Amino acid sequence: MRVVVTGGAGFIGGNLVYALLGGGWEITVIDDLSTGSMDNVHPATGFRRLDVRDPRTAEAIIAASPDIVVHLAAQVSVAASIEDPEFDREVNVEGTRLVAEAAVAAGAQRVLFASSAAVYGEPQELPLTEDSPVAPAVPYGASKLAAESVLAEVLRPAGVDFAALRFANVYGPRQRAEGEGGVVAEFASRMTAGISPVIFGSGTQTRDFIYVADIVSAIAAAASHEGALAGPGPTGPAYNISTGIATSVNMLAEGLRVALRYPGTIERADARDGDVEASVLSPGKAASTFGWKAAVELQDGLDATGSWFARQR
Ligand SMILES: NC(=O)c1ccc[n+]([C@@H]2O[C@H](COP(=O)([O-])OP(=O)(O)OC[C@H]3O[C@@H](n4cnc5c(N)ncnc54)[C@H](O)[C@@H]3O)[C@@H](O)[C@H]2O)c1
């Protein structure tokens, strides 16, 4: 299978490429290295350093003649999206349009897009399903939702199948501590450096934390599914990629303390404004449509993540 992975030099992209090259995928990575790193790019991939807003990206996708395009490249910082929503929109919406149009021109069969739980905004009900209301609270969530619509607009008339995979909170090796939403990476890098991690608020706030290998297996399952993924109906091609399990920040910190045998303290600070108190996403639709289910237990994922961070020092 020939696959183009945009954002393949990033945290999720690097894990995806390393895991799937072995499975016979022929991969071209397109990445501008704005937050990614060549350390994440396997030497056996074709690598093009390009911005997804650059027309040369379309040429590179067409030249690669992919069966599948996995579109991960994005402006990923919630804070940056608030500071500069126009830049966020350009990369996440217009970049997605360029990639989708190139996928059509390249004759690709399917596009898999990295969407986000941020499209839901403040949850009105738990667990969130693909039928839950979408009301993004930040420009990053709005641009991901708009990109989902762009995919439908460009790909449906062209008969190219697609799915918007709405990832929950992903953690694992290769994640950057300075990245957004990377609380596990932040805690792990602090603990390995002997610096106390800081929990904002009570630590009882929950998220649906999913280990990156489960994201990789979801993308692989969606890529090789034989039926169509972009079904009809309002939620058509959206799929939650999540565990369905609510994990508190306190549980995470404790799990990492065990993983890293961290002997120090964990600091507490005031809750941050606008933090969602509880979030968990039902993964049932992905299970029933393309037979995928998260398989990695939280402590196993934290152990593997902790070992990776410890090795980086
Ligand atoms: N990590 C999470 O918890 C999470 C949750 C939901 C959705 N996502 C989505 O998953 C995808 C991958 O995220 P990640 O966590 O691996 O982040 P990341 O920052 O590690 O990866 C993003 C990659 O895209 C590249 N990139 C950014 N702008 C680009 C541009 N204009 N042109 C070309 N390349 C560009 C970066 O250099 C980087 O390699 C993103 O679309 C993100 O929005 C991530």
Side-chain angles (χ1 to χ4, degrees), residues 6-13 30-37 40 50-53 71-76 87 91-92 113-117 140 144 165-171 174-176 180-181:
T6 72
F11 156 49
I12 294 172
I30 295 175
D31 198 299
D32 70 353
L33 299 180
S34 53
T35 57
S37 157
N40 293 332
L50 286 169
D51 188 315
V52 288
R53 296 167 299 164
H71 180 39
L72 304 175
Q75 191 302 107
V76 297
F87 177 72
V91 175
N92 291 1
F113 170 60
S115 189
S116 167
Y140 168 75
K144 286 287 178 182
L165 306 176
R166 294 176 176 167
F167 302 157
N169 288 63
V170 192
Y171 71 94
R174 300 182 193 274
Q175 192 165 28
R176 291 170 311 125
E180 201 66 35

Side-chain angles (χ1 to χ4, degrees), residues 233-250:
T235 64
Y239 293 89
N240 290 341
I241 304 298
S242 59
T243 64
I245 299 168
T247 301
S248 73
V249 175
N250 286 334

